[in-house]
Amino acid sequence: EKITISVLKADIGSLVGNSTIPEIFEETASDILDRYKGEKIFDYFVSHVGDDLNLILLHNKGENNREIHEIAFEIFKKNSEIAKEMNLYGAGGDLIKKEFTGSLIGMGPGVAEMEFTLRSPESIIVFAADKTESGAFNYPLFQMFANPFNTPGLVIDPDMRPGFRFEVWDLYNHKRIYLNSPEEIYDLLLLVGTSERFAIKRVYPRSDKYPKDEPVAVSSTERLYEEAGKYAGKDDPVMIVRAQKGFPAVGEILEAFSFPYMVNGWMRGSYWGPLLPVSLKNARATRFDGPPRVIALGFQVKKDKLYGPEDMFDDPAFDYTRNKALEIADYIRRHGPFEPHRVSYEDLLTTTAKPILDKLIQRFEDIK
Ligand code: 13P
Ligand code: 13P
Ligand code: MG
Ligand code: MG
Ligand code: MG
């Protein structure tokens, strides 16, 4: 029996500045979703990280389904109106297109969805990050599914030994490539090390035990810059990962976030900084509009019910990572407007600096 998990997210207004969202956004979302529960959707959970509202929906309508996306659109639109009413920052911001035409893809919001045959038992973790970009999940996805030092299951679980297949998107040219782990990990790393351009979209099992076309992980890869044609905030991605029984254990999935690796997208979408794993109560941006944060919500999934969430990073086991991240944040911040804190010149062209740079470049004269 197949089910679908859809995680749909948008920044449609925030307080204070780009810090967080008002409670009414989640209440409005829940009110609307209650209307559809038992009919178009089986179950849901509403959450947020920083200024991004996340809808986690369980249904059986498949990926990129018009009815499901329309429900999310209704929620984002209603909250945009509330945001305008409240004079919030960036009201309606991520809803670049105002009329729904069948899919949220290309309209501004981020989308991560997977349809799969429900296993018994089935555990998933939903990740959502703020002040960063799609490729921010490249590092942990590689760790979870390709690095035995993170995931010893790759060595000792017979169903994991065939490895995993990675679907990588070139976000600049809207093309994709499939690479097999372990035999092609050097090629994989050559690409996904450039997280601004190459993002791991999906990971598939290679074991004969599971359908090879049903993903074990999927992330959102929408780029606001492309969709808006100018800087419109950061993409702030979401990701779904399935756990256990031939897939990484829950602990192997979380372990990938135990190192506060650097991500692109802090302050004005123009700075690199360490990714801080946080509990829901700390899911709001403060210092320098960050540091970039990620939450992890664990669910046990039945065909028509989500049991959870467990707030997986709400644990002292991640205090060391958080303290390290804060130390790194302080170190990198001293670079001010210099690289590698500030993003590369090429990347700066997707921020508000573009028109300034375009003019400045005109002023250069030849050196005789
Ligand atoms: P339990 O014995 O607590 O079920 O642990 C299983 C395990 O090793 C998970 O990694
Ligand atoms: P958001 O994409 O989260 O709105 O971030 C804007 C920003 O960079 C604030 O400094
Ligand atoms: Mg914002
Ligand atoms: Mg955001
Ligand atoms: Mg954003």
Side-chain angles (χ1 to χ4, degrees):
E1 188 166 10
K2 284 197 182 186
I3 57 157
T4 312
I5 308 273
S6 299
V7 182
L8 309 153
K9 52 88 32 188
D11 171 355
I12 26 79
S14 48
L15 84 168
V16 176
N18 286 292
S19 178
T20 187
I21 59 168
E23 272 170 29
I24 192 165
F25 281 9
E26 290 178 350
E27 289 160 10
T28 304
S30 297
D31 287 347
I32 293 174
L33 290 166
D34 279 335
R35 274 191 0 238
Y36 295 106
K37 192 173 160 176
E39 183 210 333
K40 290 182 180 175
I41 58 168
F42 295 138
D43 205 357
Y44 71 85
F45 186 75
V46 176
S47 189
H48 77 278
V49 58
D51 57 7
D52 292 273
L53 176 68
N54 305 309
L55 313 174
I56 302 165
L57 310 180
L58 171 66
H59 58 97
N60 66 353
K61 296 187 181 302
E63 293 167 25
N64 202 13
N65 176 271
R66 185 187 178 109
E67 290 175 274
I68 297 298
H69 283 213
E70 197 158 22
I71 296 171
F73 180 76
E74 182 184 343
I75 292 167
F76 295 145
K77 195 166 175 182
K78 178 76 193 159
N79 278 325
S80 297
E81 285 158 15
I82 295 170
K84 280 176 192 142
E85 187 70 35
M86 292 174 71
N87 207 16
L88 296 186
Y89 187 78
D94 280 6
L95 223 48
I96 291 156
K97 305 221 170 78
K98 303 297 167 203
E99 292 310 316
F100 185 73
T101 51
S103 171
L104 273 184
I105 295 168
M107 296 188 71
V111 176
E113 297 181 287
M114 53 161 82
E115 185 184 34
F116 57 91
T117 310
L118 187 70
R119 303 175 304 159
S120 177
E122 186 76 57
S123 318
I124 61 161
I125 313 231
V126 174
F127 293 92
D130 189 34
K131 306 298 178 262
T132 185
E133 55 172 3
S134 318
F137 290 132
N138 286 357
Y139 173 87
L141 282 168
F142 183 86
Q143 292 286 41
M144 289 172 213
F145 292 99
N147 184 0
F149 279 74
N150 181 87
T151 302
L154 293 164
V155 178
I156 69 173
D157 180 343
D159 292 322
M160 290 178 80
R161 293 194 62 122
F164 291 88
R165 189 163 64 111
F166 288 76
E167 176 182 334
V168 176
W169 283 21
D170 176 349
L171 302 177
Y172 288 5
N173 297 306
H174 204 72
K175 285 172 179 281
R176 68 178 163 201
I177 185 173
Y178 291 91
L179 293 165
N180 283 330
S181 167
E183 60 276 30
E184 293 179 300
I185 58 168
Y186 297 163
D187 292 327
L188 178 63
L189 287 170
L190 194 57
L191 296 175
V192 304
T194 303
S195 55
E196 310 91 281
R197 174 164 173 182
F198 299 102
I200 300 170
K201 177 67 182 174
R202 294 185 185 83
V203 180
Y204 297 92
R206 295 177 71 197
S207 158
D208 291 329
K209 197 161 170 186
Y210 297 114
K212 293 197 172 66
D213 58 345
E214 293 183 3
V216 279
V218 61
S219 72
S220 62
T221 44
E222 284 67 32
R223 275 186 105 217
L224 270 172
Y225 171 74
E226 306 292 344
E227 291 173 357
K230 62 173 190 332
Y231 176 70
K234 261 298 171 187
D235 312 322
D236 308 326
V238 288
M239 167 167 81
I240 311 165
V241 186
R242 297 165 67 199
Q244 306 289 133
K245 289 176 55 114
F247 302 162
V250 166
E252 289 168 335
I253 292 168
L254 298 177
E255 180 67 9
F257 291 89
S258 64
F259 171 66
Y261 62 97
M262 301 292 281
V263 298
N264 180 321
W266 197 358
M267 182 52 82
R268 300 168 187 274
S270 310
Y271 291 82
W272 287 85
L275 187 66
L276 194 63
V278 293
S279 65
L280 286 175
K281 71 174 185 298
N282 289 318
R284 54 200 259 282
T286 58
R287 185 178 179 189
F288 202 54
D289 284 356
R293 279 163 213 235
V294 61
I295 56 166
L297 304 177
F299 297 92
Q300 206 61 37
V301 186
K302 221 177 101 179
K303 87 175 191 322
D304 54 0
K305 192 154 174 58
L306 295 169
Y307 291 96
E310 274 300 308
D311 186 358
M312 305 306 281
F313 290 143
D314 184 13
D315 191 293
F318 283 92
D319 284 351
Y320 177 79
T321 308
R322 288 189 272 261
N323 288 335
K324 197 71 173 169
L326 300 184
E327 196 185 317
I328 293 163
D330 206 63
Y331 166 80
I332 195 93
R333 274 273 46 239
R334 302 273 185 99
H335 291 75
F338 286 81
E339 292 184 31
H341 187 24
R342 203 209 66 201
V343 297
S344 67
Y345 183 83
E346 195 183 29
D347 229 27
L348 211 51
L349 295 173
T350 68
T351 72
T352 52
K354 183 170 185 334
I356 307 169
L357 284 166
D358 287 348
K359 263 197 196 152
L360 215 46
I361 290 296
Q362 298 295 319
R363 283 181 49 199
F364 276 77
E365 51 189 60
D366 290 336
I367 301 162
K368 300 274 181 317

